Amino acid sequence: MSIKKSLLTLSLSVALTATAQAETFNFSDQAKKADAIVVFQAGDTPSAGLAQLNKQSNDQLMKSLSVAKFKGDSKQVVEVLAPAGIDADRVIVVGLGDSTELNAGAVNKIGASLSAKLSKTDAQDIQIFTKGISDNQSNASFAAELAHGISLRAYKFDKYLSKKKPAEKNYSLRVNQPQQAKTTYKQLEAVEAGVFLARDLTSEVPTEMNPVHFAAAAKELKKLGVKVKVLKPRQIKKLGMGALHAVGRGSAEGSRLVVAHWEGNNDTPIALVGKGITFDSGGYNVKTGKSIARMKSDMAGAAAVLGTVKALALQEADVNVVAVMAMAANMVSETSVAPGDVVETAEGLSVEILNTDAEGRLVVADGMWYARDKYKPEIMVDVATLTGSKVRALGDRYTAIFSEDDNLVSQLTVSGKAVDEKVWRLPLGYKDKLKSPIADLTNIGSGGPGATTAATFLQQFAGDTKWVHLDIAGNALISADKGVNPAGGTGHGVRLLSHWIMNNK
Ligand code: BES
Ligand code: MN
Ligand code: ZN
C-alpha cells in the first residue's frame, strides 16, 4: 500500500509540470533594435512599414518579394535576408489577404503562420510593424490578436523530449495605441493560459493523467480564487450517480467528480459539464485498431471546461461559471462493468449498458444531474469527445452543436466564427432508438445517427434547464500542426467558451 502511494505521488509531480508560456510580448510606439523585422501587405497594398523599409532598401525589398511570388495572400509569409539599408538580419513579410475579412480568428491564424516561420529561424528579438493596420476593430486589437496567434502556435508539449524547445523569442510590436493593445492582450493571455492548461492535460500520457491527477490539476486553480471540490467513488455512489460510478469501476483509482467554480458575481451560474474519460479502452467492448492510441484525449471536454474556468479566473471576470467534470478511466478488468449491466443514474433513469464503449454519455449524464441539482444553472453546456459518428459527419475542424435553444446556438455560432472554433448544428431526435426492454434507456442507439442518438441520450438529463451539447470528438488531438494549434492536444473549446461567456453576459 505504501509503495503504491509513493508511486502515485511520484507520478503526480511529473504530471503537474506544466508547459509554461515562453514568448514575451511588448507593445510600444517606439522602434526597437531587432534581428528580425516583420511587415505586412494586404493583397497588393503594402503596409506603411513595408513601404518605408522598401524605400530604405532602394526598392530591393519589393524586388525580392516579387521574385518570391509574394502576393499578399492571407497567411503567406516570406522571409528575406535584410537588404543593405535595413538594420536587421532578416525581414519577414506577412500577407493579410482581403483586409475587409480580418476578424480576430483570421488575425490569430496569420500570427500562427508567422510564428511557424520564425520558429525555423534563430531570430530572438523580433520587431513587428503593426502601426496603422486594423482587424476591422482597431490597430490595438490587431496587434493583440496577432500576439495571441503567435503565442498559441508557439506552445509546445515537450516534457518527454530530450531535446527541448529552442529559446523563447521576444516580440516587440509597434502600435498606435500601446496601452490599449496591452489591455486587450492581457485578456487574451488569460485565455491562452486556459488553452495551455487544456492542452497540457490532453497531451499528457494516460498513466500520468488519471482522474486523481486531473483532480490535483484542478486544485491548482484554488490559488486563483476558484472553489474546487472533488468527490470520490464512495460519495459518487452515495449521491446516486451510478452511471459515473460504474464507468470507473474497472480502474485502479475509480471515478471522480471534480467541480471548479469561478464565482465572479452573484448571478445565476452558467454550468459547463465536461466528459473526463482519462483513457477510453472501450471497456469489454474493447477498441480495436489504431484509434485506441488517441484515447488519452477522451478527457478533452473536461480539460476544455477547466481551462475556461482558469481563463475566467485569471481575468477576474465578472461572471459566475461552474465547471463540473465527470472523470473516469474506462478500463478492462474483473471489476469493470459488463455489457448487459443495468446502472441507475442520479436523475432516476436506469440505463442498460449494451456497449461499454458508449461510456461518455453515462458519465456526462450524472455530471449534468449534479450541475443542475447543486447549482441550478441558468444555462448548461456540456463538452464531450462523444462519438466517432460526429467525426465522420463533420471531421476534426467543426464542432457539432446540439440544442433546442436557437438563441444559444446562434450565440455560439457567432463566437465560433470570431475565434475560428466553428460549430455546426446537428439535430436532436431518434429517441425511440434508445428503448430498452429492461431499463428506461439503453446507452447505444439501435440504428439512427450516432452523434444524434448520443446527444438525445444526454438531453434526457437536461430537465428544463437551457442546454447545449458540444461534441468535440476529433477536435481535441491533432497529428499535424494546423493554424493556431501545434500537433497534439488543441485545448479546443476554451477559446469558444471564453468568447461566448465574455460576450453574452
Ligand atoms: N471516445 C469515443 C468517441 C471518439 C471517437 C472520440 C473518435 C474521439 C475520436 C466514445 O466513447 C466512443 O467510443 N463512442 C462510440 C460509441 C458507440 C459504441 C455507440 C463510437 O462513437 O464509436
Ligand atoms: Mn468509448
Ligand atoms: Zn469515450
Side-chain angles (χ1 to χ4, degrees), residues 151-170:
S151 180
L152 285 169
R153 178 61 180 263
Y155 166 94
K156 220 169 191 170
F157 184 78
D158 60 2
K159 64 183 279 196
Y160 294 110
L161 293 175
S162 53
K163 200 166 153 263
K164 303 291 180 206
K165 183 182 172 178
E168 70 222 39
K169 299 189 188 299
N170 307 312

Side-chain angles (χ1 to χ4, degrees), residues 275 277 280 282 285 287 291 294-295 297-298 330 355-361 384-392 443-445 450 453 471-476:
K275 169 179 173 180
I277 300 298
D280 182 11
N285 294 95
K287 287 188 185 291
S291 75
R294 300 171 54 79
M295 286 303 144
S297 64
D298 212 20
N330 187 24
N355 188 321
T356 58
D357 198 10
E359 83 299 337
R361 65 198 76 182
T385 48
L386 206 62
T387 65
S389 161
K390 179 266 151 176
V391 185
R392 289 188 290 280
N443 75 327
I444 51 164
T453 49
D471 191 337
I472 60 163
N475 304 111

Side-chain angles (χ1 to χ4, degrees), residues 94-112:
V94 181
L96 298 176
D98 181 351
S99 59
T100 62
E101 282 169 14
L102 280 180
N103 69 357
V107 177
N108 298 155
K109 284 202 278 191
I110 289 163

Side-chain angles (χ1 to χ4, degrees), residues 24 60 83 96 163 168 191 196 219 232 234 277 282 284 308 334 427 430 443 492 502:
T24 60
Q60 283 306 305
L96 298 176
K163 200 166 153 263
E168 70 222 39
V191 176
F196 293 168
K219 283 184 186 158
K232 294 185 176 164
R234 202 164 6 98
I277 300 298
Y284 274 100
T308 303
E334 59 192 6
Y430 298 84
N443 75 327
H492 193 96
M502 295 305 285

